[in-house]
Amino acid sequence: MATEILNETVFGQETEFDGVLHFTDNLVITGRFNGTIDASGALEIDKTAICTVDKMSANSIVVYGNVTGDLEAQERVELCKGSKVRGNIKTANLRIADNVEFEGQVSMIDDLPDINIFSVASSEYKSALIVKNDELS
């Protein structure tokens, strides 16, 4: 069985970043971030992270920490237990755990494949998106 190796970058707890961030792989923020994130990869906000953004955009966003600002994810947004989010969310799939502080509005993206993205590999989901896109053309 082949294992897919994902590139992952971690901004450590002592890291403070101000500005615009672009990335294509996976990023975990455990420190402080201020600015804008425009990415095509997966983004995780650790429980120790504090992020203040104009907009946070990625393929998927999982939040364990604190985010102030708008979130947009093509695939999914997960707000995990203990997280705090103050901002609007736009995504195809949203999961909010118990004990989450959320203040904002939610907009759902329509017309995605009928597939449970929380139970399949990302490569399977991308294939389903390509098939769905071809059907719409």
Side-chain angles (χ1 to χ4, degrees), residues 76-134:
R76 67 188 167 101
V77 171
E78 288 187 59
L79 306 183
C80 301
K81 182 179 179 178
S83 64
K84 296 178 183 178
V85 175
R86 284 173 182 51
N88 299 322
I89 296 174
K90 182 176 182 181
T91 188
N93 292 279
L94 175 64
R95 178 179 286 176
I96 300 177
D98 292 336
N99 298 321
V100 168
E101 290 183 33
F102 171 63
E103 182 181 320
Q105 296 182 354
V106 176
S107 300
M108 301 304 291
I109 300 171
D110 294 330
D111 295 329
L112 288 177
D114 296 326
I115 188 168
N116 181 350
I117 64 166
F118 297 102
S119 65
V120 297
S122 61
S123 59
E124 290 177 65
Y125 184 73
K126 287 177 187 175
S127 296
L129 280 175
I130 292 168
V131 170
K132 182 71 171 181
N133 190 33
D134 289 342

Side-chain angles (χ1 to χ4, degrees), residues 63-78:
V63 180
Y64 294 95
N66 297 317
V67 176
T68 301
D70 295 341
L71 288 76
E72 183 173 338
Q74 292 299 312
E75 190 176 299
R76 67 188 167 101
V77 171
E78 288 187 59

Side-chain angles (χ1 to χ4, degrees), residues 33 35-38 52-57 68-72 90:
F33 180 89
T36 302
I37 297 174
D38 181 16
T52 304
V53 296
D54 301 315
K55 184 176 180 184
M56 179 182 288
S57 177
T68 301
D70 295 341
L71 288 76
E72 183 173 338
K90 182 176 182 181

Side-chain angles (χ1 to χ4, degrees), residues 37-57:
I37 297 174
D38 181 16
S40 58
L43 175 62
E44 180 179 316
I45 308 302
D46 189 71
K47 64 182 178 181
T48 59
I50 298 173
C51 298
T52 304
V53 296
D54 301 315
K55 184 176 180 184
M56 179 182 288
S57 177

